[in-house]
Amino acid sequence: MAQAQPIRILSVEDHPVFREGLATIIGSQPDMLLAAQAANSVEALIEFRLHRPDITLMDLRLPGTNGTDTLIAIRGEFPRARVIMLTTSDSDGEIQRAMRSGASAYILKSMPKGELLNVVRSVHAGQRHIPPEVAARLAEHLGDEDLTTRELEVLRLIRDGHRNKQIADQLAIAETTVNFHIKNLVDKLGANDRTHAVTIALRRGLLQI
């Protein structure tokens, strides 16, 4: 009987200690093989093209281009790529973007080793995986409308302390238009006012601090 080929894995992680830990964990499994490692988006694309791994373990927070944008770039070239997002963040804005961009799984770095390995195997078998606590956060906002690009721009400027007139000047739009965008984004986020909207957006990962 022919022996099954090991699951070939690309690890994309910029933190050396965590990268070494993953390498040790993968190396201890007879059904897995660490095909390559990368520390940033550019290296990840190079290594993926070179090795065509079965599974990519992708850190969400990479220097320069983040993990979700790297996932989009890889799947743009290789639509069948199976990418597992690995992160310390359970912020639902990031989760939604990663899953909509084609991530096969989204797991927290705090997950026990055995569970992580089980997720790798299940994704390799064609399944998707989101931890229960992450799925619960996603479900909270399932019916929510997405903010438009302009609304996010306005929200960032509010976060940075700009008044409505200053936002209008920055974006070269009328102040009444700014007021309109603020009303929409406050409604969409279920906020009390513009400041509360920023707090909600930060909590949900729609804005970075």
Side-chain angles (χ1 to χ4, degrees), residues 71 75 81-85 95-107 118-131 138:
L71 155 74
R75 284 181 56 85
R82 292 175 179 169
V83 181
I84 297 173
M85 304 303 291
I95 299 166
Q96 287 185 46
R97 184 162 179 257
M99 298 309 287
R100 285 174 183 167
S101 300
S104 297
Y106 190 107
I107 58 180
N118 286 339
V119 171
V120 170
R121 293 184 181 105
S122 68
V123 168
H124 184 249
Q127 298 170 14
R128 298 184 91 199
H129 176 87
I130 306 177
L138 271 177

Side-chain angles (χ1 to χ4, degrees), residues 25-200:
I25 292 168
I26 293 165
S28 69
Q29 303 302 302
D31 62 337
M32 295 183 190
L33 172 69
L34 185 62
Q37 298 185 75
N40 56 50
S41 178
V42 173
E43 290 179 10
L45 275 163
I46 291 169
E47 297 298 337
F48 196 100
R49 289 172 185 141
L50 195 60
H51 296 280
R52 309 289 175 92
D54 301 310
I55 299 289
T56 299
L57 289 172
M58 178 80 69
D59 185 14
L60 184 71
R61 299 195 179 281
L62 295 172
T65 305
N66 69 27
T68 303
D69 288 329
T70 308
L71 155 74
I72 292 167
I74 287 175
R75 284 181 56 85
E77 287 188 41
F78 306 94
R80 298 180 69 182
R82 292 175 179 169
V83 181
I84 297 173
M85 304 303 291
L86 202 57
T87 183
T88 55
S89 170
D90 65 351
S91 139
D92 58 275
E94 293 170 345
I95 299 166
Q96 287 185 46
R97 184 162 179 257
M99 298 309 287
R100 285 174 183 167
S101 300
S104 297
Y106 190 107
I107 58 180
L108 305 178
K109 287 184 176 180
S110 55
M111 175 179 278
K113 179 180 80 172
E115 288 183 35
L116 187 150
L117 293 169
N118 286 339
V119 171
V120 170
R121 293 184 181 105
S122 68
V123 168
H124 184 249
Q127 298 170 14
R128 298 184 91 199
H129 176 87
I130 306 177
E133 66 272 26
V134 173
R137 288 181 65 93
L138 271 177
E140 285 178 32
H141 306 290
L142 203 56
D144 291 359
E145 290 183 74
D146 289 340
L147 297 186
T148 65
T149 303
R150 180 63 90 190
E151 286 164 358
L152 283 170
E153 287 174 338
V154 170
L155 204 51
R156 287 188 195 100
L157 290 168
I158 294 171
R159 174 203 61 191
D160 295 341
H162 293 83
R163 297 183 181 279
N164 290 11
K165 186 173 188 320
Q166 293 172 314
I167 294 171
D169 292 342
Q170 286 259 4
L171 299 178
I173 57 178
E175 190 174 348
T176 51
T177 306
V178 172
N179 295 338
F180 173 77
H181 287 312
I182 291 174
K183 181 186 181 302
N184 280 347
L185 64 88
V186 165
D187 287 346
K188 286 181 180 180
L189 293 172
N192 299 324
D193 53 36
R194 69 205 293 277
T195 307
H196 188 214
V198 170
T199 304
I200 293 171

